[in-house]
Amino acid sequence: MLMGEYHNNLDLKGRVVIPSKLREVLGDKIVLTRGLDNSLFLYSVATWNTLLEKLDTLAFTEKDNRNFVRFLLSGAITLEFDKQGRIIIPTYLQEFASLEKEVVIIGSLDRVEIWSNKNWNEFMKNNFNRLSEISCNLFNSN
């Protein structure tokens, strides 16, 4: 399971260190792609392949299905960590997630999410007061 919140810096070459606790779970090869809520998603290859199998079951005749698959797969890239535990985030993904120097890296069950510090703070600010309500809806859905 991937969990935790980590703050790190993106260097001028677009590299960021992924914390060792997360790297241990992800493995050597990973897949980085556009995520939801203006973030990036980072998957282990095994989890990515499971996700692809699920996506492959969607009816391609449905426009929303096609659009989501296009969104997720067109941005995907397979990467490996360098000796310092860094990945290089391509410019198009940096721009998509509005990444600047400060980034927030979070473990989120089966994936890692990479956020700009600004977007993460806005997300937390906008959602913090609703978390009690959200948790009631999640766990009391009888």
Side-chain angles (χ1 to χ4, degrees):
M1 176 186 302
L2 296 158
M3 59 185 180
E5 178 178 324
Y6 307 87
H7 296 256
N8 227 324
N9 289 322
L10 188 70
D11 72 14
L12 295 175
K13 295 181 181 179
R15 298 176 300 195
V16 66
V17 174
I18 303 299
S20 61
K21 289 181 180 182
L22 300 176
R23 290 194 318 265
E24 290 170 9
V25 177
L26 289 168
D28 295 331
K29 286 191 176 185
I30 65 263
V31 177
L32 180 67
T33 192
R34 293 179 189 99
L36 303 175
D37 305 312
N38 296 95
S39 70
L40 301 178
F41 288 173
L42 184 61
Y43 293 96
S44 70
V45 170
T47 301
W48 178 254
N49 288 337
T50 300
L51 178 59
L52 291 179
E53 288 173 9
K54 291 178 184 176
L55 292 174
D56 197 36
T57 66
L58 299 175
F60 76 91
T61 55
E62 296 291 328
K63 185 175 183 174
D64 285 345
N65 294 350
R66 290 192 311 272
N67 288 342
F68 184 75
V69 168
R70 286 177 186 138
F71 167 79
L72 198 64
L73 297 184
S74 66
I77 183 170
T78 302
L79 301 169
E80 292 184 36
F81 297 107
D82 69 11
K83 291 178 182 175
Q84 287 79 37
R86 299 175 298 193
I87 58 170
I88 297 174
I89 300 175
T91 304
Y92 69 94
L93 292 176
Q94 290 179 45
E95 291 171 356
F96 170 80
S98 304
L99 298 183
E100 295 176 359
K101 184 175 176 96
E102 296 179 40
V103 299
V104 179
I105 301 165
I106 64 166
S108 188
L109 291 175
D110 66 344
R111 70 182 174 273
V112 169
E113 296 181 6
I114 302 173
W115 293 72
S116 73
N117 190 57
K118 179 183 175 207
N119 286 349
W120 177 250
N121 288 333
E122 284 181 26
F123 170 81
M124 291 299 284
K125 179 182 173 187
N126 293 338
N127 290 283
F128 184 78
N129 291 332
R130 293 191 52 239
L131 291 178
S132 291
E133 176 187 339
I134 291 168
S135 67
C136 287
N137 292 337
L138 286 174
F139 296 107
N140 296 327
S141 59
N142 294 340

